[in-house]
Amino acid sequence: MSANPRDWLIHWFERRGPLAGVTPEEKLQTDYFEASLIDSFAVIELITAIEAEFKIKFNETHFQDRRFSTLVGLEALITELVANIRRGQ
């Protein structure tokens, strides 16, 4: 894993515009769909970038996971997937 998921996600979204909040913890609470920070094309770009950066693969279950819509939720999913790879799952 090249980067910390938290920092990587904040940086990725902030390149597209400001996130609500001052602290990283506040920024991570953002529901990026609700805040209209990205459109459907950018979601594909985001998924592709995450999979490449962290050497993971999302599946249908991950996209349906309620956590997928917030930065903090994505951070958790990435962390879980990376841990599973390290454990050989």
Side-chain angles (χ1 to χ4, degrees):
M1 176 165 64
S2 304
N4 172 304
R6 171 181 293 219
D7 297 338
W8 190 93
L9 287 166
I10 290 172
H11 178 72
W12 193 92
F13 277 95
E14 285 186 330
R15 287 191 333 234
R16 283 144 184 81
L19 289 171
V22 176
T23 67
E25 290 74 22
E26 291 171 340
K27 291 177 181 185
L28 285 171
Q29 297 305 316
T30 302
D31 180 322
Y32 51 90
F33 290 116
E34 191 174 285
S36 300
L37 294 175
I38 59 176
D39 60 20
S40 57
F41 293 112
V43 170
I44 294 168
E45 181 184 338
L46 172 63
I47 292 166
T48 302
I50 290 171
E51 289 180 339
E53 178 69 28
F54 296 99
K55 314 285 188 271
I56 59 174
K57 202 73 167 149
F58 288 112
N59 64 36
E60 194 78 21
T61 305
H62 300 122
F63 302 135
Q64 295 173 2
D65 190 315
R66 294 182 66 185
R67 298 176 295 169
F68 192 82
S69 65
T70 63
L71 276 69
V72 72
L74 268 177
E75 176 191 23
L77 287 170
I78 293 166
T79 301
E80 288 172 15
L81 288 168
V82 169
N84 288 344
I85 289 170
R86 289 184 177 160
R87 286 193 303 265
Q89 297 178 347

